[in-house]
């Protein structure tokens, strides 16, 4: 799992409005709509009576990422919910419960989760990031039903994307450099097909979720006018030139879609 660094996230809070406008231009949906689609339901009219969402900084392992907790908080507030950053670790859990928060988000080096302590729902950031990006691809491409789609990366993010695309009746194909990871995913999602060779698949499929930690895994010459790419992978799996060529047919961010989707995942 990729560990974010301060430079990945320091501008997110200030750019949330403009990022939402960019999503609207590219997909016809705002961040909130994409997140509710990922959670499997339409966006509710009002935010309902949700108690303030607690975001707990966790100091274990490699420790705090500067700005991480407050950026998560700001994304939640941008969606229309109240949210605050607690003290770190167990003090933070105690603070969240004492303040009556029902939804808690926290991340250590191994897992980033949203917890609903009233309903016992848990949403993992990796799976819901994959679902959110697949939902964004669906909107960007005007639907995925009966369309060939390619998911690169059979990790937890790729699994979430493939899961969502199967639910939407896309014809899902997956590639992973580790064949065993692809085969494991097929056991859980039998409708998915494994592709043996990436470069051939990249020339064949135009609807792509790039969910790998590999930079520039998609060569520029595989990109066409009808290529749409949703890329949760960090760093971006395209060259700068490739990203510029795709422009409004590329979705990529470091936290926004994943945080919004996991929150809706525990609210739904
Ligand atoms: O609370 C803190 O500041 C740190 N314990 C956060 C550590 C997060 C580590 N995980 C990652 O950086 C990413 N897996 C988060 C999600 C990336 C976007 N999908």
């Amino acid at each position: 799992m990729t560990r974010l660094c301060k430079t990945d996230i320091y501008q997110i809070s200030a750019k949330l409005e403009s990022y939402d406008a960019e999503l609207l231009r590219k997909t016809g949906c705002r961040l909130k709509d994409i997140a509710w689609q990922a959670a499997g339901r339409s966006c509710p009219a009002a935010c309902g009576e949700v108690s303030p969402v607690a975001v707990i900084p966790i100091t274990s392992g490699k420790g705090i990422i500067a700005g991480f907790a407050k950026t998560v908080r700001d994304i939640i507030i941008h969606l229309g919910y109240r949210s605050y950053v607690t003290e770190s670790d167990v003090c933070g859990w105690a603070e969240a419960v004492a303040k009556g928060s029902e939804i808690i988000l926290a991340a250590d080096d191994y897992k980033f989760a949203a917890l609903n302590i009233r309903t016992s729902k848990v949403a993992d950031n990796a799976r819901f990031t994959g679902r959110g990006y697949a939902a964004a691809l669906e909107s960007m491409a005007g639907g995925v039903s009966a369309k060939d789609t390619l998911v690169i990366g059979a990790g937890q993010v790729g699994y979430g994307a493939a899961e969502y695309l199967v639910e939407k009746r896309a014809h899902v194909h997956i590639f992973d450099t580790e064949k065993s990871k692809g085969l494991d995913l097929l056991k859980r999602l039998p409708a998915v097909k494994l592709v043996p060779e990436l470069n051939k698949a990249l020339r064949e499929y135009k609807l792509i979720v790039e969910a790998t930690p590999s930079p520039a895994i998609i060569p520029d010459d595989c990109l066409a006018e009808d290529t749409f790419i949703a890329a949760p992978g960090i760093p971006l799996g395209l060259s700068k030139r490739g990203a510029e060529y795709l422009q409004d047919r590329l979705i990529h961010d470091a936290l926004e879609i994943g945080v919004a989707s996991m929150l809706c995942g525990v609210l739904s």
Side-chain angles (χ1 to χ4, degrees):
M1 179 171 74
T2 307
R3 180 178 168 89
L4 293 175
C5 56
K6 193 166 77 171
T7 48
D8 293 320
I9 53 181
Y10 79 101
Q11 292 184 316
I12 290 176
S13 295
K15 292 186 171 178
L16 279 167
E17 277 307 328
S18 61
Y19 183 60
D20 221 335
E22 179 188 323
L23 283 176
L24 190 60
R25 187 179 74 246
K26 291 181 176 178
T27 69
C29 298
R30 290 179 62 100
L31 178 61
K32 191 171 188 175
D33 306 309
I34 291 168
W36 281 109
Q37 273 169 3
R41 54 165 284 193
S42 58
C43 183
C47 292
E49 252 325 290
V50 178
S51 53
V53 176
V55 183
I56 307 178
I58 303 295
T59 62
S60 64
K62 294 178 183 158
I64 297 281
I65 297 174
F68 177 82
K70 89 166 184 60
T71 301
V72 171
R73 172 204 64 194
D74 293 345
I75 293 166
I76 295 168
I77 290 169
H78 176 75
L79 294 176
Y81 299 93
R82 291 169 294 165
S83 183
Y84 64 103
V85 176
T86 67
E87 296 289 318
S88 59
D89 305 320
V90 178
C91 290
W93 293 108
E95 180 185 349
V97 172
K99 286 182 176 174
S101 290
E102 293 171 358
I103 313 284
I104 295 173
L105 277 77
D108 62 15
D109 296 347
Y110 307 98
K111 192 173 183 69
F112 178 16
L115 316 170
N116 186 323
I117 53 179
R118 183 171 56 80
T119 64
S120 303
K121 274 196 174 183
V122 177
D124 177 79
N125 170 266
R127 176 174 168 240
F128 274 86
T129 296
R131 291 183 64 89
Y133 270 80
L137 180 69
E138 175 190 33
S139 298
M140 196 164 47
V144 291
S145 178
K147 291 181 186 173
D148 281 327
T149 57
L150 175 65
V151 177
I152 312 173
Q156 299 171 63
V157 176
Y159 173 80
E163 178 190 51
Y164 181 90
L165 291 169
V166 165
E167 285 168 14
K168 298 294 180 166
R169 311 237 178 293
H171 298 164
V172 187
H173 305 77
I174 194 141
F175 174 83
D176 194 293
T177 46
E178 287 175 56
K179 195 167 178 202
S180 59
K181 279 174 82 173
L183 292 171
D184 287 346
L185 185 142
L186 261 58
K187 283 185 199 136
R188 296 163 70 191
L189 295 171
V192 174
K193 291 188 177 52
L194 206 56
V195 293
E197 208 277 313
L198 181 58
N199 274 324
K200 180 172 172 296
L202 284 171
R203 284 174 171 73
E204 205 173 319
Y205 301 119
K206 305 298 179 197
L207 304 184
I208 300 170
V209 176
E210 185 275 311
T212 78
S214 319
I217 191 167
I218 301 176
D220 293 353
D221 63 4
C222 293
L223 304 175
E225 258 114 64
D226 53 351
T227 304
F228 291 88
I229 299 182
I234 295 177
L236 177 61
L238 284 163
S239 71
K240 194 167 177 308
R241 192 161 154 265
E244 281 161 5
Y245 168 77
L246 283 175
Q247 276 196 345
D248 280 2
R249 289 178 282 121
L250 169 65
I251 304 269
H252 176 69
D253 69 41
L255 262 183
E256 297 92 323
I257 288 176
V259 168
S261 300
M262 71 198 286
L263 176 68
C264 294
V266 289
L267 284 173
S268 67

